[in-house]
Each structure stands twice: as C-alpha cells, then as structure tokens.
Amino acid sequence: MKSKIILSFSLILVVFTFFAFKMDDDPFTLLLKKLEDYSKKYPQEKVHLHLDKPYYAIGDDIWFKAYVLNTQTMAPSNLSKIIYVELINEKDSVKKQLRIPLMSGITWGDFKLTDSLGEGNYRIRAYTNYMRNFGPNFFFDKTIKIGNSWSNKVFTKTNYSFSKENENDKVVANIHFEDKNGIAYNDQEVSYEVQLDAKNVAKGKEKTNSTGDISVAFVNNQPALNKSGKIYATLTMADKSKVTKLIPITSTSNSVDIQFMPEGGTLIQELPQKIAIKAVNANGKGENVTGQIFDDEGSEITSFDTPFLGMGHFTVTMQANKSYTAKIKFKDGSIKDIKLPKPNASGYVMAINNLDTGSVSLKLMATEDLLQKGELKIVAQQNGNVFYVSKAVMNKQVVIANIPKKTLPSGIVQFTLFSADNLPIAERLIFIKNNTDFIALNLNTTKVSTLKRGKTTFAFNATNQQKPIMGSFSVAVTNATKIAPDEDNETNILTSFLLTSDLTGYVEKPNHYFLNDDANTVQELDDLMLTQGWTRILWKNVINNVEPTITYKPEQNVSISGKIMKGKNPVVGGKVMILSTKGGFFMLDTVTNAEGKFSFDNLIFGDSTSFIVQARTKTERKFVDITLDVDPRQIVTKNKNGAEVEINVNNSLMKYIKESDNYFNEMTRLGLLERTIKLNDITITQKKNPTKNTSNLNGSGHADFVMSAEDLKACVTLSQCLEGRLPGVISRDRKFFLMRSQGIPINIILDGIPVEPDFLDNVTPSDVETIELLKSIGNTAIYGGQGAGGIIIITTKRGDGSFRTTRYAPGIVTIAPKGLSVSREFYAPKYDNENRSSKMDLRTTIYWAPQVITDKDGNAQLEFYNADEPGTYRVVIEGLDIVGHLARKVYTYEVK
C-alpha cells in the first residue's frame, strides 16, 4: 500500500475558501505529530487466513495460509514472527491450537478433523501475541460449518417459533430426529435441557411422535440479557445407548432493532443532513424495512427503505421547535413508531459524497451562530497514516471541496473535523478502492485439462501498474459442484485486510462489496460505512496522551526465560542450563544478569517436548528457586459472528457430507483412514483428597472427588486417567457424563480455561498436580449453567495449561512449553503412465499450494491432476508482495 504522506490541495471552492495547510508548530500540527508518533510507536497487525474450503466434514483436513500485515506500513509484518491459530467449538472452548513460525509475515498449516469431533459451528481464530495488547476485536475470527455423516447416527432438524408472554419471550422449538437415510426415530425417549447464556431455563423428557418430532417450550424472562443459548437433546436408542445433540438457539424472538445514525455523528437542526438507518433482526442479520418520517403536525417529510442487509439512508432538514417520528413497516406487516432524537440547535455537519469514481466531494455546513468562530481542520487518515489535511474558515454556512481519490489509500479512510480548539467534532468513514494498490493476475489457461484425472498446468503472471511483481501466493482448487461457494459471504484477503479488520462487530456478506463496482454496490458499501463504527485509532487517546498497555511483546522466536532467586534476593551471575533428550541430546547454558534473569532464545522444538532447567549459584549451590516467565492463555470471547451460526448444520451440508461418505468409505476400505476405538466404561471409587493450587471457584478442598499426582503415575495419556476412574462418571464418544445427568457433558477446566476432552492428551499426566470432580449441587452452583452436567478441574503443577513445570529436586525444574507446529504436505496424486491407480479419487479439495512464489518477471506455474468426479472446478489465488499490494483471482473450468 502507499507509505505515509501528508497532502495539501488547492481545493475547488463553491461557497467560501479552504486554506492550504502549512506544516508549522501550531497546536494542530503538534497534534498530527502526536498521531504520527503514536502510530509509529504502537503499530498494529492484521491477520488473514486463506482456507482451502468454506465448510468441512468430520474426517476432512483444514488447510490454510496465514498472512500478517503491519498496519503502519501495510507491508508483511516486521513485528511478530509467530502466529497462533485455534479451532474453537460452539461452547467457546479451544479444541486445537497451533503455534506456527512466520516468515516475512506468511506461514501455513492445517487441522485434522478426527471422528472424535462432533458436528457444529466452529470458529477459526488467528492472532499474534502482540495483537493481544489491543483486544480480540481485530483478531481473524471466522465461523465455519463442520458436518458429520461418517460417524453420526442421529440427525436433527430444528425450527423455532416465537411469541410474547407478558414482557417475556416465549419460544417453542420443534426438533425432528432421523438417521442419515431420512428414517425418523419415532416413539423414542428424549431428555432435554435448555440453556440461555449458560443458565438453565428448562429441562424435561419427551417421546418422539410418529414423525420423529418433539416440541420443547421455554421462556426467556430476561430478554434484554439472554440473547442466545443451546438445547442439549439426548435420544435413547433402541439398544439403550444415548446420543446427545447440541442445538444452537440463535435468538428468542423475532424482534428487529432499528438504529438511526446521522452523518458526522450529531443531529443538527436547520441544516440538510443525511441520516443512515440500520435494521437488525434478533439473529444479528440485516432486515429490510420501509418507512416514512413525519413531523409533529403529521406531515410526511420523506420516506426510506433498507434495500440491502437492513441498511439505507435518507436526507432531512430538521426544523427548530419540531419533533419527528419514523413510522417503520416490517416484512410481517406490523408497524412501529420510533421518535427521532432531538437535534442540537448549534453545530457542524460534515457531508461526504463518495459515489463519484474520480474524487471525494466534501461539504462542511455550520449553523449561523458558528460563523467567524475560528479555523476548522479536516484530517483524513488510515491506521494513523495521514493522507489529507486542510484548514477552513467558515465565513458562510457552506464550504465544498473535491479530493482526488488517487491520493487516498485503498480501504477504510477516516475523515475527522476538528474545532478551532483542536477537538474532534464530526467523523465520517469512507471506503476507497485504488487499482494501484492491487496486483493484477493474468492467467494462462491453455493447458487446463477438462478430463477426469487430466493433467492441468496452470500459469499466471503478477503485475502492479504493468510492472512484474515478486510475491507469495496461495492456490486452492476445489470441486465447486460438491463445495458450492457462497460468494457474497466469502472471507478473503481483500475483505480481511481492507474491510473487516478495521471494523468492530459483525459485517454481513463482506465479499458482496468486492464482486462488482457498479453504482448500487458503491452505495451499499457507503451505507455500511455510515452505520458501522471504527475504533482502531481513537483521537481522544492521542490528544490525551493515553498510550495502550503493552503487556505482550512481539514474538521474534521461541524462548524460555525466567528468574533465579535465593530467598528474597536475585541470584546474580548464576549458572543456568537447559537440556532435552528428545530427538537427540540438546543442551544450552547461560548466566543470570544483575536482576537474576535469564533467557534462552531462538529455540526450535515441536509440541510435547520437555526440557530440564537447572540453576546454580556462582559457587555451585543448588538451593535456589526458579521462576519461569509465562504468558497466560488468550481467553475465548463470544463469537462476534454469531449471526452466521447455523441451527441445522448437518442438514445444511447434507449433500456435501453424504458425498464425503463415499470418499471416507473408500479410504477406510484401503486402510488409510484413522478412526477412534472406544474402550469399555469402568467405574472405580477413591477417597477424597484436598488440593492447594486449584482454580476451583469453591476453594481448596471443596470437591466431591480428587485424584492426586500419585494416582496418575501409571497413565499414558490424561484421557486414559479419567476414563473409568472418576466415581459416578461414564465416558461416551470420548466425552464424560455424570451417570445421573447423561444428557449434558461434563465441562472440563484446565488451569482455569475450558477445554474439550480430546485436548487433554496434549497434557502430560506427570505434569498434572490434581484432578477434581464437582458433581453435587453445593459444589457446582457457583459455576451456574456451566456446572449443570458437572465439572472436572485439572490443575497442572505450575497452574498454567500452556507452560507446565514440575519440580523434582532443588534447583531443577522440568518444563513442557507450547512448541511449534509443523504443517503436513498436501497430498495430490499423479496419474501419469506409471501410476494408474484403480482406487476412486473422490477428493473435494483437488489441489492446495500454500506457497507459490513468482519470479523476477512475475511468473509462476503449477500443475495438478483432476479427480474422478466431474463438475465445475474452482481455482482461487490469493497473495501479496513485499510492500503489501494484494491479489485475488477466481477462475473456473469444467471437468466432464
């Protein structure tokens, strides 16, 4: 993208004069200097993941390429060199976490979706350690659907109906149960429990009717607080086995929220002003409505609608001493009156017209009392980089200027109007798209094969402003007949870096704004800018010298560090040694500094690697204390993209997951597919044993059963330690249930962080201090709805889950830090004359290449073989160059 510049223009004047801005030492210049210093001192990062497919089935692999940009330079990040990528389930628990090294802001990896997972709405979250300083709002966070037909016996389909009971929301859920062949489970017993925001609101038992349906009714008596939840429905099979399904509750009403947002931020009377409207339904998606604006005399002033995703706008001049009402008509025919806020008698309006292809039209308007009140200033900036500055003296009520778009960077640009006292008084976002900021990809498709198992040779040339580009690209080829893309709703390198990474909250159908450049799309994008807030750079923080708290440093490498103490005094010049025997003998040593601190940097090791840290004083005395530096885990916040949660995941993906069955069955037949083997349940009882370092909210000793480190010595894996050794607990499908409440899985908390059962085998049993079981109401009540099915609390010997230590002797600590993940290589078969396998090739991802590098002439070439199934094959290329120019290209071809 463009590097930082400050521009002044000779502006086109319609009513009065805009004065060119001079770089002197006045207070406003100093304010801009503070912004420049702030953004340079605290540059931030953006992350995008290119996923090979939009949705998956259990048994699939998720392949991804990660790109990280520096917001100050918009070039591949020069800050962090490690990225975290997580797979998070519907209960906001981390299922898998990868820690991957970055190379010039890029890397790649994969997740394997084993059959121990259940179907549902999962999230892929990605961030750097440094990004944690600025909160999770700007993490890469995408909701994906994962279906399960391969190891699934019961399929549900749920629909909700809503009504009002006094002031409360009443919900009736009709749940249908069937097998994968569509045969209903009739006359079967179902127990259910309903949770809203982790609080139990209903439970009971029903029998399915002749069509396999049950009806579950519940009331939300706190509709302002409880917006979503889940139903746990447990079906008892004919063989008395039980299958539990988690059914999302995305809302408890069909209400629509209406917001009116004046352009610039404040309603001002007697001045024509654009007012944006946004209508959002209870599921979080835009709702199209129509309406009229009436004054207090009943006269219609104007009308409006929200033609795209619940967004629209109208222009009105609000008169003094009058009130205004919006009469809203919803799609069900109902009508609601909403009073508009009272406008201010005095103020400024900043109106921007961004619909012209060549320039941005800026209009300033002021009420009469503000004329001749000093200089106003306008700043246009992006991520702290200033691209336009001017001053204006308001001698008359209207000033207009045109700003060439070619001088502004692609993406979201923030215009701010400052008063004579240098305080922000109006703000407006616009979106700019300059072709000079993008890489043009010219495809050579002459050797693309349209035959089954045909060899396709694909070449492309990358240029920017007709000059060749050396860049890093990722290429995904899928059978779009089996993996149908939702183009409007795609998350890609353009939507991530230019749009959603600079907007808080949920952006519906982000790629819609990049598919076309017609007038309607430009207007729809401008309505999005009018209705969606942006908070990456806050002027009030810059003005008041409020600096962010930098707790997490940019990770340049993997390190193990800490401090050596003897009593209350640091050990200066102490000898510290670290060693590991995994993969060959490894040893390093160092000495402590004047504060007793030590560090081993530039370490490279994989997951499940253990180290021994030994410390001594200068005189070889071993009775010292070793304290290791540990960053706490990143908490899992609620899904900001909750509007994309699918209630009936399996049904929505049924065509795909049934076709995937053929692939998995073929792989199983050939012995190439891993499957989970479930062991029989065993129940053993043991005496309670209190703990001291527990994260138990009830406090130490308040548990129904405790296992100590001594009890875990014979365990190979932690899940093995739990299966059959906790009283009143059974395991089923690799989950744990209380025998008295088999419909709700036990929640597992590892060092204060909720985790899933299959995450436990990432923990070495010898690193665990205690395992506590909470099952009585007296011990689970403090956890609210999370304790409904019981709680298992696991405490490691240092009390943190990602960096575990064990002390065996004075001056010696064993540690198992989170290591680096190694990506597997995507397997793409070759069907040349020497390799004509008879097994069916039923892949849905035909080809995946995470690192395609163009040469000095901008050229790159790749080749792959088509699969055995015909259809429309879709090629998606994404990438960037060293200065942050972005590229995306989609190409399709038919295989017959």
Side-chain angles (χ1 to χ4, degrees):
M1 301 296 173
K2 297 180 178 66
S3 58
K4 179 191 168 196
I5 53 175
I6 296 180
L7 302 174
S8 298
F9 294 99
S10 176
L11 302 175
I12 301 174
L13 308 182
V14 174
V15 177
F16 208 66
T17 307
F18 253 83
F19 294 94
F21 175 71
K22 296 180 181 180
M23 294 299 293
D24 49 30
D25 290 331
D26 67 7
F28 185 64
T29 304
L30 296 177
L31 173 61
L32 294 183
K33 184 67 168 59
K34 286 168 69 174
L35 173 65
E36 179 185 29
D37 293 342
Y38 180 95
S39 58
K40 284 184 176 180
K41 188 176 180 181
Y42 303 109
Q44 298 178 38
E45 294 176 323
K46 299 181 179 183
V47 174
H48 167 67
L49 259 59
H50 178 193
L51 303 176
D52 67 312
K53 290 186 292 199
Y55 48 82
Y56 299 85
I58 298 301
D60 272 342
D61 297 312
I62 299 177
W63 303 91
F64 61 83
K65 169 80 171 282
Y67 299 88
V68 182
L69 289 185
N70 182 325
T71 61
Q72 177 66 17
T73 62
M74 286 304 289
S77 179
N78 59 0
L79 294 177
S80 298
K81 294 184 179 179
I82 291 176
I83 188 175
Y84 296 84
V85 184
E86 297 168 336
L87 181 66
I88 301 171
N89 72 358
E90 289 178 318
K91 294 189 288 186
D92 294 330
S93 293
V94 177
K95 296 288 293 182
K96 298 175 184 291
Q97 184 191 71
L98 303 178
R99 188 185 191 193
I100 314 174
L102 287 163
M103 297 161 287
S104 300
I106 60 173
T107 191
W108 52 90
D110 62 272
F111 288 112
K112 190 171 186 63
L113 303 179
T114 63
D115 63 337
S116 58
L117 289 169
E119 77 274 7
N121 298 274
Y122 287 76
R123 294 158 61 187
I124 299 285
R125 186 174 74 166
Y127 55 92
T128 65
N129 197 51
Y130 180 66
M131 289 175 69
R132 299 171 66 186
N133 295 299
F134 310 100
N137 281 333
F138 301 108
F139 290 0
F140 178 89
D141 202 330
K142 178 174 176 57
T143 299
I144 62 170
K145 301 173 184 64
I146 299 178
N148 185 1
S149 177
W150 172 31
S151 58
N152 195 11
K153 297 178 182 178
V154 178
F155 293 76
T156 61
K157 185 175 183 180
T158 304
N159 59 72
Y160 293 98
S161 58
F162 308 105
S163 60
K164 280 290 185 182
E165 190 174 271
N166 299 322
E167 296 300 318
N168 301 324
D169 293 342
K170 183 176 182 180
V171 183
V172 177
N174 186 76
I175 308 173
H176 173 73
F177 297 84
E178 64 182 26
D179 64 16
K180 83 166 78 174
N181 298 315
I183 300 175
Y185 286 106
N186 54 20
D187 199 32
Q188 304 283 102
E189 186 177 277
V190 179
S191 61
Y192 64 86
E193 183 157 339
V194 181
Q195 291 184 3
L196 293 176
D197 285 346
K199 296 178 181 178
N200 296 331
V201 298
K203 64 189 304 184
K205 291 184 178 181
E206 295 284 345
K207 270 198 172 183
T208 57
N209 61 17
S210 59
T211 58
D213 299 337
I214 67 166
S215 183
V216 174
F218 58 94
V219 174
N220 179 7
N221 54 19
Q222 292 182 303
L225 299 176
N226 300 333
K227 302 293 186 180
S228 60
K230 54 185 72 75
I231 299 174
Y232 292 97
T234 302
L235 179 75
T236 302
M237 307 288 284
D239 61 359
K240 302 304 180 184
S241 64
K242 298 178 183 293
V243 176
T244 300
K245 311 300 290 186
L246 189 157
I247 303 165
I249 303 169
T250 56
S251 66
T252 62
S253 74
N254 52 11
S255 62
V256 178
D257 178 62
I258 306 292
Q259 297 181 62
F260 294 95
M261 286 157 276
E263 185 175 22
T266 307
L267 277 174
I268 307 297
Q269 68 183 29
E270 304 294 349
L271 295 177
Q273 189 170 13
K274 185 183 295 182
I275 298 177
I277 177 172
K278 187 162 189 175
V280 180
N281 63 27
N283 291 320
K285 292 189 175 182
E287 187 87 9
N288 292 338
V289 300
T290 59
Q292 299 86 35
I293 303 297
F294 294 90
D295 63 17
D296 50 10
E297 297 176 352
S299 299
E300 181 178 335
I301 306 302
T302 188
S303 61
F304 62 85
D305 62 356
T306 58
F308 182 70
L309 302 181
M311 294 178 290
H313 69 273
F314 57 90
T315 300
V316 66
T317 302
M318 304 184 95
Q319 302 297 321
N321 303 318
K322 278 193 174 185
S323 60
Y324 296 85
T325 301
K327 189 175 288 292
I328 312 291
K329 184 176 182 179
F330 301 98
K331 66 180 181 180
D332 63 0
S334 62
I335 295 177
K336 182 179 181 180
D337 289 347
I338 300 177
K339 276 196 169 295
L340 296 184
K342 186 177 180 180
N344 291 347
S346 175
Y348 298 93
V349 170
M350 180 173 63
I352 294 181
N353 184 340
N354 191 33
L355 303 184
D356 187 87
T357 58
S359 62
V360 175
S361 177
L362 176 72
K363 180 190 292 185
L364 287 185
M365 293 173 282
T367 52
E368 289 189 4
D369 62 303
L370 294 177
L371 300 181
Q372 304 286 1
K373 295 294 184 181
E375 287 183 325
L376 302 177
K377 300 93 175 176
I378 296 176
V379 176
Q381 58 95 9
Q382 182 187 80
N383 295 313
N385 294 325
V386 176
F387 291 88
Y388 172 80
V389 182
S390 269
K391 294 182 179 180
V393 176
M394 298 293 291
N395 293 329
K396 292 189 177 181
Q397 281 191 275
V398 182
V399 174
I400 297 178
N402 289 326
I403 305 164
K405 284 189 175 182
K406 64 183 181 180
T407 62
L408 299 174
S410 291
I412 296 174
V413 178
Q414 184 181 33
F415 278 79
T416 307
L417 174 66
F418 288 86
S419 67
D421 298 327
N422 299 325
L423 296 176
I425 52 178
E427 199 159 84
R428 171 75 150 91
L429 307 183
I430 66 170
F431 189 88
I432 298 294
K433 185 178 180 182
N434 275 330
N435 290 333
T436 56
D437 293 328
F438 299 95
I439 299 172
L441 295 179
N442 304 299
L443 308 183
N444 183 343
T445 61
T446 56
K447 295 184 179 180
V448 170
S449 174
T450 61
L451 303 176
K452 296 178 184 178
R453 298 199 180 191
K455 181 179 179 180
T456 288
T457 300
F458 207 96
F460 63 88
N461 176 259
T463 59
N464 174 257
Q465 300 185 70
Q466 299 182 339
K467 296 179 181 179
I469 288 293
M470 292 184 66
S472 172
F473 301 86
S474 51
V475 182
V477 183
T478 57
N479 186 340
T481 303
K482 299 176 69 173
I483 304 286
D486 180 1
E487 288 192 304
D488 275 3
N489 203 37
E490 281 186 311
T491 297
N492 56 55
I493 199 167
L494 303 182
T495 66
S496 290
F497 284 146
L498 299 181
L499 188 65
T500 57
S501 62
D502 286 329
L503 292 173
T504 58
Y506 171 62
V507 179
E508 188 175 354
K509 298 186 177 181
N511 196 43
H512 170 83
Y513 306 107
F514 294 87
L515 294 176
N516 298 295
D517 287 327
D518 57 72
N520 284 339
T521 304
V522 173
Q523 181 61 70
E524 290 160 356
L525 182 53
D526 199 53
D527 285 340
L528 177 69
M529 296 296 101
L530 284 165
T531 58
Q532 198 98 15
W534 186 35
T535 56
R536 188 180 283 278
I537 294 289
L538 296 178
W539 279 108
K540 65 179 182 180
N541 290 345
V542 176
I543 292 170
N544 297 320
N545 297 312
V546 177
E547 298 184 348
T549 302
I550 303 300
T551 304
Y552 306 103
K553 304 294 184 184
E555 288 183 296
Q556 300 299 309
N557 50 59
V558 180
S559 64
I560 295 174
S561 61
K563 190 173 185 178
I564 310 300
M565 301 286 291
K566 187 170 179 62
K568 295 183 178 180
N569 300 315
V571 175
V572 180
K575 303 172 183 178
V576 185
M577 179 181 68
I578 184 172
L579 63 92
S580 175
T581 58
K582 182 175 181 179
F585 186 77
F586 166 87
M587 184 178 72
L588 291 173
D589 61 6
T590 187
V591 295
T592 57
N593 63 14
E595 297 175 329
K597 295 181 178 180
F598 69 91
S599 180
F600 295 97
D601 298 322
N602 299 312
L603 301 178
I604 300 176
F605 56 89
D607 280 342
S608 304
T609 302
S610 296
F611 295 89
I612 296 174
V613 178
Q614 176 183 287
R616 298 287 187 268
T617 65
K618 277 184 180 180
T619 56
E620 297 293 335
R621 294 182 178 273
K622 64 182 180 180
F623 289 94
V624 296
D625 294 320
I626 304 173
T627 302
L628 297 171
D629 297 331
V630 180
D631 281 339
R633 288 187 183 186
Q634 175 64 38
I635 63 171
V636 180
T637 53
K638 282 191 174 182
N639 188 357
K640 70 176 182 179
N641 301 317
E644 294 185 359
V645 169
E646 173 62 53
I647 296 173
N648 302 297
V649 168
N650 272 336
N651 288 86
S652 67
L653 303 181
M654 185 58 73
K655 179 178 182 293
Y656 169 63
I657 60 180
K658 278 189 173 181
E659 291 178 346
S660 296
D661 271 357
N662 298 328
Y663 173 69
F664 297 140
N665 291 336
E666 177 70 8
M667 296 289 285
T668 301
R669 184 182 69 82
L670 297 170
L672 300 176
L673 204 62
E674 298 176 7
R675 303 201 69 155
T676 301
I677 300 174
K678 181 179 176 298
L679 301 177
N680 293 329
D681 298 327
I682 305 172
T683 301
I684 300 174
T685 59
Q686 184 171 329
K687 192 176 178 181
K688 180 165 42 174
N689 183 24
T691 64
K692 59 177 181 178
N693 295 321
T694 178
S695 61
N696 188 344
L697 297 180
N698 298 291
S700 176
H702 294 279
D704 297 291
F705 178 81
V706 178
M707 295 174 66
S708 66
E710 188 70 22
D711 304 316
L712 307 178
K713 285 185 175 180
C715 300
V716 178
T717 64
L718 194 56
S719 59
Q720 178 192 15
C721 297
L722 296 180
E723 288 181 352
R725 302 184 68 180
L726 298 175
V729 174
I730 63 172
S731 62
R732 187 173 65 247
D733 298 330
R734 294 178 65 89
K735 297 179 182 178
F736 300 95
F737 299 85
L738 293 178
M739 295 181 70
R740 60 173 171 79
S741 179
Q742 298 185 32
I744 306 175
I746 295 176
N747 273 326
I748 299 175
I749 298 176
L750 174 66
D751 295 324
I753 304 295
V755 298
E756 291 298 305
D758 55 2
F759 188 81
L760 298 180
D761 289 343
N762 294 324
V763 182
T764 305
S766 61
D767 292 332
V768 175
E769 183 177 273
T770 57
I771 298 176
E772 299 170 79
L773 172 65
L774 313 183
K775 59 180 182 179
S776 64
I777 187 64
N779 287 326
T780 60
I782 196 170
Y783 288 92
Q786 291 184 343
I791 301 281
I792 292 175
I793 297 175
I794 302 171
T795 304
T796 58
K797 292 179 179 176
R798 259 295 298 253
D800 67 85
S802 61
F803 200 95
R804 302 177 296 280
T805 69
T806 308
R807 302 175 188 274
Y808 291 114
I812 295 178
V813 175
T814 65
I815 59 173
K818 180 71 178 176
L820 297 175
S821 302
V822 178
S823 176
R824 295 174 296 151
E825 184 176 353
F826 179 83
Y827 171 69
K830 294 183 178 180
Y831 299 121
D832 51 28
N833 293 329
E834 298 178 358
N835 183 18
R836 287 292 176 182
S837 172
S838 61
K839 69 179 182 180
M840 289 292 291
D841 185 351
L842 305 174
R843 293 168 297 135
T844 53
T845 298
I846 308 302
Y847 183 72
W848 168 252
Q851 181 72 329
V852 178
I853 304 295
T854 51
D855 61 22
K856 62 181 179 62
D857 296 319
N859 295 319
Q861 181 173 298
L862 48 98
E863 60 182 40
F864 55 89
Y865 290 82
N866 300 330
D868 279 329
E869 293 186 296
T872 300
Y873 283 29
R874 187 172 190 251
V875 182
V876 178
I877 307 174
E878 293 189 356
L880 49 73
D881 65 8
I882 196 169
V883 295
H885 295 128
L886 305 178
R888 175 174 164 85
K889 188 80 170 182
V890 178
Y891 172 77
T892 59
Y893 64 97
E894 294 294 326
V895 174
K896 301 176 181 178

